[in-house]
Amino acid sequence: MMSRRVNAVSPSATLRISESAKKLRREGKPVIDMSVGEPDFPTPSFIIESAYKAMKEGKVFYTPTKGIPELLEAISEKLKRENNLDYTPENIIVTPGAKYAIYEAIMSVIDDGEEVILLDPSWVTYEACVQMAGGRVVWVPHDEGFESAPIEEYVSSKTKMIILNSPSNPLGVVYPESFLRKVRDLAVDEDILVMSDEVYEKIIFEGEHKSIASLDGMFERTILINGLSKTYSMTGWRLGYAVAREDIIKAMAKIQSHSVSHPTSFVQYAGVTAIKGDQSFLKDIVEEFKYRRDMLMKGLDELGLKYAPPKGAFYMFVDVERDSMEFCQEFLEKEYVATTPGSAFGKSYQTWIRISYATSRENIRDMLARLEKFLKAQ
Ligand code: PLP
């Protein structure tokens, strides 16, 4: 009954956990949700005011498929100012969330049987999009320390794309420039595209964000993905974008024009305000995430658990040394803490779990106490 494309995608492994968490919460249990993928801060009020103003001014009708010119221009200026990239509005498309930019990009360039290299572990949506496009995912485990991976051993004549995500979900890794250069060399030598998902670029505690698109020879080969969800706490607004060669952007616009048309009109106007506005509110948010990360690292060190030390984003990937799905299910049932099994993010880390620290310090303290109790009882 269902299409080959949809049958190729597995149901989300995290669904079971989030459904159980919801059920327990309905029953009145004190659930701490450490599985969330969104900031726990409100959208800054100057952005909300801007959306309201746009609506009142009647900006409630269809917009151009690729987005309003003001937003494309604001993104182009941002890329120049912050990333040292010279892309013009012709190289940009705005989409309803970064996720849809990823979907459109993969659908635009991947054909049946073509291979896409994914670092293991990686965020769940990349694999699903590749499968829907008829492509094949080739998983590459990280080297010790999670800051590089032996990608060269996995490149074949069918490799069409490498997907990078820095800072990464679920690792929190900020890849060093040496690794970006290695990926660049491979991409140029073997004629491969790189999709660089940079949605966490502003949430960095150590090191600096560098876009692979800024390296020699990568302007034409990179599909840069970004969005407003994480930086501006705008997950529900659905606003993201892709930056690439004009032919790729045109192909993506074809998909967009025949599916969602464009992101919501007044959300795009608010997006201009967000990108061009005062960014100082972010400093406190990043400091708070860093404080929570440090709390969590200290607590996990005391419990003797191994983890990938995060330098950005708001996740920790932790080795619990047993089947991750079973661990997450039991931790939820016994201690009412929701976490995400590492098995959802790839193939090699079946005993790891992802803990999101986009939650209060109090919840983190409480979670660590429950974790200690849970581990002692095993
Ligand atoms: N890319 C990564 C790595 C993410 O973790 C997420 C959300 O969890 C997204 C993209 C999607 O962001 P958006 O809300 O803009 O679709």
Side-chain angles (χ1 to χ4, degrees), residues 36-38 95-102 122-126 164-170 197-200 225-230 234-236 238-241 314-315 354:
V36 286
E38 58 187 354
T95 54
K99 192 182 267 188
Y100 200 62
I102 292 164
S122 270
W123 180 51
V124 291
T125 288
Y126 309 129
L164 273 189
N165 170 216
S166 182
S168 103
N169 173 8
D197 180 347
E198 305 181 9
V199 297
Y200 296 103
I225 304 289
N226 210 332
L228 283 77
S229 287
K230 317 288 174 172
M234 288 174 71
T235 49
R238 311 310 301 129
L239 193 59
Y241 56 91
F314 39 71
Y315 310 102
R354 188 193 74 174

Side-chain angles (χ1 to χ4, degrees), residues 95-350:
T95 54
K99 192 182 267 188
Y100 200 62
I102 292 164
Y103 175 83
E104 285 179 359
I106 291 176
M107 283 295 172
S108 295
V109 301
I110 301 300
D111 262 327
D112 282 343
E114 288 182 329
E115 293 177 0
V116 176
I117 288 187
L118 270 188
L119 298 187
D120 191 357
S122 270
W123 180 51
V124 291
T125 288
Y126 309 129
E127 183 183 29
C129 287
V130 172
Q131 288 167 336
M132 283 190 277
R136 197 171 83 80
V137 168
V138 176
W139 288 104
V140 180
H142 279 81
D143 292 330
E144 185 78 29
F146 295 100
E147 292 199 330
S148 64
I151 295 185
E152 64 286 359
E153 293 170 25
Y154 294 81
V155 168
S156 81
S157 58
K158 292 193 184 142
T159 309
K160 183 77 171 278
M161 180 190 272
I162 298 168
I163 300 184
L164 273 189
N165 170 216
S166 182
S168 103
N169 173 8
L171 290 170
V173 158
V174 177
Y175 291 106
E177 193 169 333
S178 55
F179 181 60
L180 301 184
R181 289 193 178 280
K182 176 168 134 165
V183 175
R184 188 275 310 269
D185 291 350
L186 265 175
V188 171
D189 290 351
E190 307 289 335
D191 195 18
I192 299 169
L193 291 167
V194 173
M195 179 187 279
S196 178
D197 180 347
E198 305 181 9
V199 297
Y200 296 103
E201 72 166 333
K202 300 277 181 76
I203 306 175
I204 291 197
F205 324 120
E206 284 164 46
E208 261 183 33
H209 175 71
K210 185 168 181 85
S211 176
I212 192 167
S214 66
L215 300 184
D216 280 353
M218 289 308 291
F219 182 88
E220 296 277 303
R221 303 195 167 278
T222 308
I223 304 176
L224 190 159
I225 304 289
N226 210 332
L228 283 77
S229 287
K230 317 288 174 172
T231 304
Y232 302 100
S233 300
M234 288 174 71
T235 49
W237 296 62
R238 311 310 301 129
L239 193 59
Y241 56 91
V243 184
R245 274 180 359 216
E246 211 179 322
D247 57 339
I248 295 177
I249 295 297
K250 279 192 174 143
M252 292 174 66
K254 253 202 255 182
I255 298 178
Q256 183 144 296
S257 74
H258 291 300
S259 53
V260 295
S261 299
H262 57 74
T264 303
S265 55
F266 43 86
V267 167
Q268 293 187 55
Y269 286 95
V272 176
T273 305
I275 291 174
K276 288 186 140 180
D278 182 0
Q279 311 286 307
S280 59
F281 70 94
L282 254 173
K283 193 169 163 282
D284 289 346
I285 290 178
V286 174
E287 262 171 30
E288 177 60 24
F289 278 134
K290 182 173 182 299
Y291 187 92
R292 296 173 189 176
R293 176 203 69 161
D294 293 346
M295 271 177 81
L296 204 45
M297 291 206 300
K298 186 164 171 286
L300 294 173
D301 285 341
E302 282 165 10
L303 294 173
L305 290 173
K306 188 169 124 194
Y307 54 85
K311 292 184 176 163
F314 39 71
Y315 310 102
M316 299 242 326
F317 206 52
V318 184
D319 189 0
V320 292
E321 296 179 350
R322 50 175 286 211
D323 180 83
S324 65
M325 192 61 183
E326 266 175 40
F327 180 96
C328 291
Q329 197 81 46
E330 268 179 45
F331 192 29
L332 179 62
E333 280 160 14
K334 298 212 167 102
E335 295 297 335
Y336 309 125
V337 178
T339 50
T340 312
S343 50
F345 301 98
K347 300 269 178 263
S348 314
Y349 301 93
Q350 301 290 323

